[in-house]
Amino acid sequence: MKNVVVLGGGGYVGQHLCERWLRAEPEVHIYSVSRRGKPATLSDALNGNERMHWLTGDALEPDSFSDKLPANIAVIIDLVGTVFARTAKEFARMNVGPVKTMIALMDRLSIEHGGYVSGVMGLPLTHKAFVRSKQDAETLARNSGKSIAIFRPSLIYGDKPQVAPMVPFVKLLGMLPGMQRFKPVAVRDLADEIIRSYKL
């Protein structure tokens, strides 16, 4: 058995990651942590899956859920974050805070491998504050002394209709010289990249 903890596993990227990971590795058990616990809407592959465990907890407060986690966790992934904050302080709280939680849990529970999903593109009016918070979170992860992989997607698209109108523009942006980092990524491809990184 391989135990994986996903902070924010109930979100858009999280559900895709969990579903594909369960399919890719029959021995994996995934423990998703989010404020709402089990999402109201799930795919058939996740709903009722005995290897999928939905925990209610605050990713900014590890004590709110750490006692519910299993022993012998192989990997912890941090997907928690926001592009919708209005101030630099709020971006720091929501984008850096969960990385602090991940590092604390790696220490407390002797988790060997971590992963942080960062980002390179925010909303037009708050792009700089968003990117700065993500960079600060990456620095925290790198300086932690832990084995934490960092993933830097731009716009993540898939079956989310509200994102679809932005994809052609961001694809064009990603084709310009020096702008390849902005190339949008399919949610399934991001999920598969994360999974491949932890084939232990």
Side-chain angles (χ1 to χ4, degrees):
M1 182 186 297
K2 173 179 172 182
N3 293 322
V4 172
V5 173
V6 180
L7 303 180
Y12 175 65
V13 175
Q15 290 191 43
H16 281 273
L17 174 62
C18 292
E19 180 174 336
R20 295 182 77 83
W21 211 329
L22 290 168
R23 187 183 305 148
E25 297 189 39
E27 77 281 8
V28 76
H29 278 246
I30 300 178
Y31 295 77
S32 166
V33 178
S34 62
R35 288 183 177 178
R36 296 182 181 180
K38 183 178 180 180
T41 304
L42 288 170
S43 68
D44 291 340
L46 291 179
N47 196 24
N49 192 313
E50 63 181 12
R51 294 187 290 124
M52 187 70 226
H53 310 271
W54 303 101
L55 306 181
T56 301
D58 185 347
L60 300 176
E61 299 289 343
D63 289 340
S64 70
F65 62 87
S66 61
D67 62 335
K68 305 171 189 174
L69 297 175
N72 303 316
I73 298 167
V75 182
I76 181 169
I77 305 292
D78 171 22
L79 297 177
V80 178
T82 186
V83 296
F84 297 111
R86 295 183 178 181
T87 67
K89 183 177 180 180
E90 185 65 12
F91 273 118
R93 190 177 82 88
M94 292 303 300
N95 292 337
V96 181
V99 175
K100 294 179 180 178
T101 293
M102 176 174 63
I103 293 169
L105 290 173
M106 292 178 78
D107 265 330
R108 185 185 304 180
L109 303 177
S110 300
I111 304 172
E112 188 173 351
H113 300 283
Y116 171 55
V117 176
S118 185
V120 298
M121 176 178 285
L123 299 176
L125 295 180
T126 54
H127 172 75
K128 288 184 178 180
F130 167 80
V131 171
R132 177 59 184 270
S133 70
K134 289 293 189 176
Q135 290 173 341
D136 288 347
E138 289 185 21
T139 299
L140 182 64
R142 283 194 299 269
N143 293 342
S144 68
K146 307 295 182 185
S147 175
I148 300 175
I150 297 173
F151 306 90
R152 298 183 184 89
S154 176
L155 179 70
I156 301 169
Y157 68 93
D159 50 2
K160 202 171 183 179
Q162 57 266 47
V163 173
M166 300 173 61
V167 174
F169 168 74
V170 180
K171 280 186 176 179
L172 287 173
L173 182 65
M175 295 172 64
L176 296 175
M179 303 294 278
Q180 288 82 4
R181 68 186 183 279
F182 292 115
K183 183 179 178 180
V185 59
V187 65
R188 64 180 182 276
D189 292 337
L190 174 60
D192 289 346
E193 180 185 358
I194 294 171
I195 294 165
R196 284 194 301 269
S197 298
Y198 302 100
K199 285 281 188 180
L200 305 178

